[in-house]
């Protein structure tokens, strides 16, 4: 915590200049939209009142402020009478977006809320990076005796896959997903059936104006569909352990043979889950780093899991990666399924959900950064001022000071040994 005259200051007692610098530095250093990260809505009027307060210059003699310090964060005006986020709200008029780190600072100083988190996604033909403020909302109709009856409405992210529609509708109807068929519904007629389960909703050209119709098929159709899916799985790729994130294509096991040990430790393959060679190639590099292998095969990493880090993954990523390392180097089989790790990665970085091709370097970068935050030994990151290199004559000393400041907030095995 920042100190003044030897006495620690509480967040709510920060002087105006110090508070302004801390918040402005956070905004400046967290301006990039990174897919998978969470950003938060802050009521524009409340934020404006804070800016007026924080940007005023006062002297020690002044007793009263021209612009008083705002009280608790007030995001309620962003909701309608049904306690749902209002539609058609606009940035810089109704709200501003702040990074998770900035929101945490505002919370420590002011409290209040409610908290409105939204994910950063890549969307559209141009692969534009946006914060998804409002989810897609679909009307779901039931096809019954040549009629269509409005059944329900669902909300879902644009980054979700067609398989997620089956999961949601199946859960609502309490029906086996393989007995459900879904069609587009337009101008009173059934459109194309959705069969490509790995397709994103945006790629399927679904929007808020779209309507969908479902049908419940007979058990004979279920068996036929299961048989067809098993054939598709041979080319599509699957794992023995089904996960909701990876989709219900993985519900069918097509591997009946007993595991075969590798000829040598380290010569273990990773099963391809669709077009995930980008992930497997990167994982093979990391799994064969001796320093990383020895760390995760020792009990040391378990002692350093940081579940309280607000920008970490609550230890889930470290746990999933450690399990993969251990399974990889056990030597019980020459082929293992990395679907659990992929599921966790996709949970926190939605660009890696599904089975489409991605950039291997981006995945390795995300994975290492995520492991660092999950294993960060710094529980409460202190505020550290940037090192001023103006007119610096000793570059080595400047570099050393910058590194020491960095280590005050970032100290993990991934960053480097103590």
């Amino acid at each position: 915590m920042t100190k003044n005259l030897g006495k620690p200051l509480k967040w709510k007692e920060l002087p105006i200049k110090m508070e302004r610098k801390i918040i402005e530095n956070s905004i400046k250093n967290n301006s990039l939209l990174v897919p998978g990260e969470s950003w938060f809505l802050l009521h524009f009027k409340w934020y404006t009142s804070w800016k007026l307060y924080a940007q005023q210059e006062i002297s020690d003699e002044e007793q009263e402020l021209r612009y008083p310090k705002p009280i608790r964060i007030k995001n309620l005006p962003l909701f309608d009478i049904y306690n749902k986020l209002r539609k058609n709200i606009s940035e810089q008029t109704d709200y501003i977006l702040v990074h998770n780190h900035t929101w945490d600072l505002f919370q420590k100083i002011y409290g209040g809320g409610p908290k409105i988190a939204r994910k950063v996604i890549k969307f559209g033909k141009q692969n534009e990076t946006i914060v998804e403020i409002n989810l897609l909302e679909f009307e779901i109709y039931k096809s019954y005796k040549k009629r269509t009856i409005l059944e329900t409405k669902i909300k879902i992210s644009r980054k979700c896959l067609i398989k997620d529609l089956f999961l949601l509708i199946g859960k609502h109807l309490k029906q086996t997903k393989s007995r459900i068929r879904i069609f587009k519904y337009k101008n009173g007629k059934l459109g194309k059936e959705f069969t490509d389960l790995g397709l994103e909703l945006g790629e399927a050209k679904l929007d808020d104006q779209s309507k969908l119709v479902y049908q419940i098929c007979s058990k004979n159709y279920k068996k036929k569909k299961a048989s067809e899916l098993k054939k598709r799985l041979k080319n599509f790729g699957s794992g023995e352990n089904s996960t909701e994130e990876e989709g219900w294509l993985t519900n069918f096991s097509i591997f009946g043979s007993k595991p075969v040990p590798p000829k040598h430790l380290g010569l273990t393959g990773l099963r391809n889950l669709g077009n995930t060679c980008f992930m497997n190639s990167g994982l093979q590099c990391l799994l064969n780093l001796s320093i990383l292998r020895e760390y995760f095969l020792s009990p040391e990493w378990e002692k350093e899991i940081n579940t309280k880090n607000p920008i970490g993954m609550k230890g889930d990523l470290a746990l999933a990666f450690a399990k993969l390392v251990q399974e990889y180097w056990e030597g019980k089989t020459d082929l293992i399924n990395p679907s659990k790790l992929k599921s966790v990665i996709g949970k926190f970085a939605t660009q890696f959900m599904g089975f489409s091709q991605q950039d291997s370097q981006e995945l390795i970068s995300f994975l290492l950064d995520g492991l660092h935050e999950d294993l960060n030994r710094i529980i409460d990151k202190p505020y550290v001022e940037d090192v001023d290199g103006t007119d610096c004559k000793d570059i080595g000393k400047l570099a050393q000071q910058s590194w020491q400041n960095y280590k005050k907030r970032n100290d993990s095995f991934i960053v480097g040994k103590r």
Side-chain angles (χ1 to χ4, degrees):
M1 182 66 71
T2 306
K3 294 185 177 181
N4 184 27
L5 300 177
K7 295 182 180 181
L9 290 173
K10 295 182 179 180
W11 284 104
K12 296 182 183 295
E13 298 173 356
L14 290 177
I16 291 180
K17 290 183 179 180
M18 188 180 295
E19 180 181 329
R20 178 174 70 229
K21 188 171 184 179
I22 291 173
I23 297 293
E24 288 180 348
N25 280 343
S26 177
I27 292 173
K28 179 182 177 181
N29 296 331
N30 298 283
S31 60
L32 185 65
L33 294 179
V34 179
E37 287 189 346
S38 291
W39 283 61
F40 294 79
L41 277 71
L42 196 58
H43 189 223
F44 186 77
K45 186 175 180 180
W46 185 91
Y47 178 71
T48 302
S49 68
W50 174 83
K51 285 187 69 176
L52 289 172
Y53 159 75
Q55 292 179 355
Q56 60 190 335
E57 298 293 338
I58 62 171
S59 64
D60 294 337
E61 293 78 20
E62 288 184 88
Q63 299 298 320
E64 294 186 6
L65 298 174
R66 181 179 179 185
Y67 300 105
K69 185 173 184 175
I71 54 177
R72 297 166 61 85
I73 296 172
K74 296 181 179 179
N75 273 344
L76 282 177
L78 296 175
F79 292 83
D80 60 22
I81 59 174
Y82 302 104
N83 203 30
K84 294 182 179 179
L85 191 67
R86 290 193 289 115
K87 291 185 177 181
N88 302 320
I89 55 175
S90 57
E91 193 173 0
Q92 299 298 329
T93 300
D94 300 291
Y95 67 89
I96 68 157
L97 287 165
V98 295
H99 187 267
N100 181 34
H101 181 265
T102 307
W103 169 263
D104 285 343
L105 290 175
F106 274 126
Q107 271 281 299
K108 288 178 180 179
I109 299 171
Y110 293 97
K115 188 176 184 179
I116 311 173
R118 290 296 183 265
K119 287 285 186 181
V120 179
I121 64 171
K122 285 189 175 181
F123 176 70
K125 293 181 179 179
Q126 304 299 324
N127 217 20
E128 181 183 3
T129 304
I130 65 169
V131 179
E132 188 177 32
I133 303 299
N134 291 304
L135 301 177
L136 290 174
E137 186 170 357
F138 296 138
E139 290 183 349
I140 306 296
Y141 292 79
K142 177 182 179 180
S143 179
Y144 179 73
K145 293 184 178 180
K146 298 184 179 181
R147 293 194 307 158
T148 52
I149 305 169
L150 181 62
E151 175 79 23
T152 187
K153 291 183 179 181
I154 62 170
K155 288 186 176 182
I156 191 170
S157 171
R158 292 161 179 79
K159 285 297 290 184
C160 286
L161 308 179
I162 294 299
K163 60 94 179 176
D164 294 303
L165 286 176
F166 284 84
L167 288 169
L168 281 173
I169 295 174
K171 185 176 181 180
H172 173 75
L173 301 174
K174 298 181 180 179
Q175 286 284 346
T176 306
K177 295 174 286 294
S178 57
R179 291 187 62 186
I180 299 172
R181 301 176 72 187
I182 302 177
F183 304 82
K184 269 191 174 181
Y185 182 55
K186 189 174 182 180
N187 299 327
K189 296 181 180 179
L190 291 185
K192 184 178 179 181
E193 181 179 3
F194 292 103
T195 56
D196 188 349
L197 305 180
L199 194 65
E200 288 184 1
L201 301 184
E203 294 174 332
K205 298 180 180 180
L206 291 171
D207 53 36
D208 282 323
Q209 307 302 317
S210 300
K211 297 180 180 180
L212 305 176
V213 171
Y214 75 86
Q215 293 179 350
I216 302 297
C217 304
S218 65
K219 291 185 178 180
N220 290 334
Y221 178 83
K222 174 184 175 181
K223 293 179 181 178
K224 180 182 177 182
K225 189 172 183 180
S227 177
E228 291 173 353
L229 283 173
K230 284 186 179 181
K231 292 179 182 179
R232 289 175 60 193
L233 282 171
K234 292 180 181 179
N235 297 322
F236 192 78
S238 177
E240 295 173 63
N241 299 320
S242 172
T243 65
E244 282 196 354
E245 192 277 334
E246 294 302 332
W248 57 282
L249 273 173
T250 59
N251 286 349
F252 298 94
S253 177
I254 58 174
F255 313 106
S257 57
K258 294 182 179 180
V260 178
K263 292 182 179 179
H264 301 283
L265 282 177
L267 295 181
T268 299
L270 299 176
R271 188 178 297 284
N272 192 25
L273 307 172
N275 297 316
T276 57
C277 52
F278 76 95
M279 179 185 76
N280 290 351
S281 60
L283 288 177
Q284 286 284 8
C285 294
L286 297 179
L287 290 167
N288 281 278
L289 283 175
S290 59
I291 189 171
L292 206 60
R293 177 191 66 213
E294 290 167 8
Y295 176 74
F296 281 101
L297 290 179
S298 74
E300 189 66 25
W301 67 274
E302 295 180 79
K303 303 174 184 176
E304 297 183 333
I305 287 184
N306 185 344
T307 59
K308 297 181 180 180
N309 190 345
I311 59 174
M313 287 78 174
K314 301 187 183 301
D316 290 351
L317 189 64
L319 288 167
F321 184 77
K323 185 176 181 181
L324 182 67
V325 173
Q326 292 160 11
E327 187 178 2
Y328 187 91
W329 288 100
E330 274 179 347
K332 291 183 178 180
T333 176
D334 62 350
L335 182 65
I336 60 177
N337 179 6
S339 63
K340 178 59 179 178
L341 177 61
K342 184 181 182 302
S343 174
V344 174
I345 291 173
K347 177 181 177 182
F348 294 101
T350 54
Q351 69 270 33
F352 297 120
M353 288 179 66
F355 308 99
S356 58
Q357 181 70 27
Q358 300 291 340
D359 185 82
S360 185
Q361 186 273 334
E362 288 183 7
L363 181 128
I364 293 176
S365 178
F366 170 82
L367 181 56
L368 289 176
D369 186 58
L371 289 173
H372 157 65
E373 295 296 351
D374 268 3
L375 299 166
N376 200 343
R377 302 178 183 110
I378 308 299
I379 303 299
D380 294 316
K381 294 188 177 185
Y383 168 71
V384 178
E385 290 189 357
D386 293 333
V387 177
D388 187 4
T390 307
D391 301 325
C392 178
K393 296 181 180 179
D394 190 344
I395 300 299
K397 184 177 180 181
L398 179 67
Q400 183 65 24
Q401 187 178 355
S402 297
W403 175 246
Q404 288 174 355
N405 282 0
Y406 179 81
K407 290 281 284 184
K408 290 177 182 178
R409 293 173 54 87
N410 301 279
D411 183 21
S412 73
F413 178 84
I414 304 299
V415 170
K417 291 186 177 180
R418 290 182 181 274

